[in-house]
């Protein structure tokens, strides 16, 4: 940094210091009525122990999600709002086209009771439903984990198999290909149908497409968002019945109000409300 650079840096430091001092003074004057806004320290992608996540450039990671440490995510996958992938004491590997839906948790184990080192490995085109917990387990390609399911250390979910919503899969359980397991603890229920196997593949495709829409929306600037809001308001279709369901009352300019004798049905409708 040259002399000019150091001077600019010093001036910037003074200005920032002045702003902080003014904020403290204003807060003191406001006393107990003041409202202090804290800066959010949330990081969507975070390095830990010198290991930084490797996320393919077309992966959608929602702003409120957290991908931490030794995590690798393949192309076309999506990590949805509120989900946490914590690869701190071991690694997490996710293939391509897989979706980890909202509020899910993926963690690992440095070693379990038997001394095994257990990362979490999730294959390609896997669907993991909302609020699932995956801990040091393996899920093979095109498998399906239902909402709120919990998979414990050493679990293996084979290709084209399904874990039902809310199920608890005990440690070291292997779910064979083509089977549906449900319950707490999870047990074999039945075989998957061909239609259900096709649904698993279609679910992954649907989420790949949906993630692209969310990624585009999240990439918009503040000005773009405000412009769209203005255009929607300007060109929105005003429907009386819809508004009444929402409890919205819109003022109608006097020049647009027709005499009762022209539209008696509308007049009666208004009186009835």
């Amino acid at each position: 940094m040259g002399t000019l650079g150091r001077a600019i840096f010093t001036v910037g430091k003074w200005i920032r210091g002045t702003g902080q001092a003014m904020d403290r003074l204003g807060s003191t004057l406001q006393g107990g009525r003041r409202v202090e806004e804290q800066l959010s320290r949330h990081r969507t992608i975070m390095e830990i122990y010198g290991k930084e996540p490797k996320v393919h450039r077309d992966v959608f990671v929602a702003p409120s999600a957290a991908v931490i440490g030794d995590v690798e995510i393949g192309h076309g996958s999506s990590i949805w709002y509120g989900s946490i992938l914590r690869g701190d004491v071991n690694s997490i590997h996710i293939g391509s086209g897989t979706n980890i839906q909202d509020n899910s948790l993926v963690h690992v184990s440095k070693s379990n009771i038997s001394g095994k080192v257990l990362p979490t490995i999730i294959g390609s085109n896997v669907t993991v439903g909302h609020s699932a917990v995956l801990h040091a387990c393996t899920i093979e390609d095109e498998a399906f984990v239902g909402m709120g399911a919990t998979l414990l250390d050493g679990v293996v979910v084979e290709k084209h198999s399904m874990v039902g919503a809310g199920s608890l899969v005990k440690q070291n359980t292997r779910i064979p290909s083509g089977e549906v397991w449900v319950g707490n603890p999870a047990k074999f229920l039945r075989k998957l149908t061909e239609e259900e196997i096709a649904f698993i593949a279609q679910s992954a495709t649907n989420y790949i497409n949906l993630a692209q829409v969310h990624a585009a929306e999240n990439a918009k600037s503040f000005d773009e968002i405000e412009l769209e809001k203005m255009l929607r308001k300007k060109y929105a279709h005003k429907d009386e019945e819809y508004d009444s369901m929402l409890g919205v009352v819109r003022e109608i300019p006097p020049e647009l109000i027709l005499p009762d004798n022209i539209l008696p049905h509308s007049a009666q409708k208004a009186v009835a409300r």
Side-chain angles (χ1 to χ4, degrees), residues 212-273:
Q212 292 175 359
V213 176
H214 280 257
E217 188 66 30
N218 279 284
K220 290 178 181 177
S221 66
F222 176 79
D223 290 338
E224 288 175 313
I225 294 170
E226 289 301 306
L227 175 61
E228 286 189 0
K229 283 167 62 177
M230 182 192 71
L231 292 175
R232 280 196 296 270
K233 185 176 180 180
K234 182 177 180 180
Y235 296 106
H237 175 67
K238 307 295 191 301
D239 183 90
E240 285 186 357
E241 291 186 359
Y242 181 74
D243 286 348
S244 66
M245 290 172 61
L246 297 179
V248 175
V249 178
R250 302 182 190 275
E251 293 185 9
I252 303 175
E255 59 268 25
L256 296 181
I257 300 177
L258 297 175
D260 293 344
N261 61 344
I262 295 180
L263 290 175
H265 175 69
S266 295
Q268 292 171 6
K269 194 175 181 182
V271 171
R273 287 180 186 172

Side-chain angles (χ1 to χ4, degrees), residues 87-115:
D88 45 9
V89 296
N90 213 319
S91 63
I92 297 172
H93 178 87
I94 297 175
S96 60
T98 288
N99 58 89
I100 309 295
Q101 295 175 19
D102 316 69
N103 296 319
S104 292
L105 170 64
V106 182
H107 193 222
V108 292
S109 179
K110 188 172 184 179
S111 62
N112 63 2
I113 296 174
S114 61

Side-chain angles (χ1 to χ4, degrees), residues 53-76:
K54 298 176 182 177
V55 181
H56 194 276
R57 63 180 178 276
D58 68 358
V59 169
F60 169 63
V61 180
S64 57
V67 180
I68 303 166
D70 192 359
V71 181
E72 184 175 355
I73 307 175
H75 70 88

Side-chain angles (χ1 to χ4, degrees), residues 41-60:
R41 297 185 180 276
H42 172 73
R43 286 185 283 170
T44 304
I45 307 293
M46 190 177 92
E47 177 183 342
I48 195 167
Y49 296 137
K51 294 182 178 179
E52 185 176 359
K54 298 176 182 177
V55 181
H56 194 276
R57 63 180 178 276
D58 68 358
V59 169
F60 169 63

Side-chain angles (χ1 to χ4, degrees), residues 14-39:
W14 289 341
I15 293 173
R16 293 184 66 185
T18 302
Q20 292 168 357
M22 291 179 67
D23 180 66
R24 287 194 295 270
L25 175 60
S27 296
T28 301
L29 294 174
Q30 287 182 320
R33 296 183 179 181
R34 70 178 183 270
V35 177
E36 295 184 359
E37 296 182 4
Q38 299 294 327
L39 176 67

